[in-house]
Amino acid sequence: MARCNACCMVLLLVCGALLLDMNPGMMAISAVACPQYCLQVDYMTCPSTGNEHLSPRCNCCLAPKGCTLHLTGGGSISCS
């Protein structure tokens, strides 16, 4: 009986692997890793809010796309 259960388990695993291989879209998992560092950002501006000074984010990974991080030293970084 145990041998039959083991064979069934192997058969299910093989069938599952074949089904996943037939549909590669199921295997595509997108992950974004944000760097764990914080820039010295004074404020942030975004096109959707005009020139309003928004609360700063640590880096572009955490800021919305298209926003600009204005650094404490006077420089700026555009997040794309």
Side-chain angles (χ1 to χ4, degrees):
M1 186 63 146
R3 184 175 178 196
C4 182
N5 285 343
C7 289
C8 287
M9 184 76 77
V10 169
L11 183 62
L12 283 173
L13 288 173
V14 169
C15 287
L18 289 174
L19 287 173
L20 286 176
D21 192 35
M22 287 181 196
N23 191 357
M26 290 179 67
M27 295 291 285
I29 297 173
S30 176
V32 176
C34 288
Q36 296 297 314
Y37 67 88
C38 225
L39 299 171
Q40 292 182 347
V41 181
D42 192 26
Y43 63 93
M44 176 176 71
T45 56
C46 296
S48 60
T49 59
N51 288 330
E52 182 181 351
H53 291 197
L54 304 171
S55 298
R57 300 288 195 257
C58 279
N59 54 48
C60 280
C61 188
L62 302 174
K65 301 292 181 204
C67 293
T68 302
L69 301 177
H70 299 273
L71 304 175
T72 305
S76 64
I77 297 175
S78 180
C79 303
S80 55

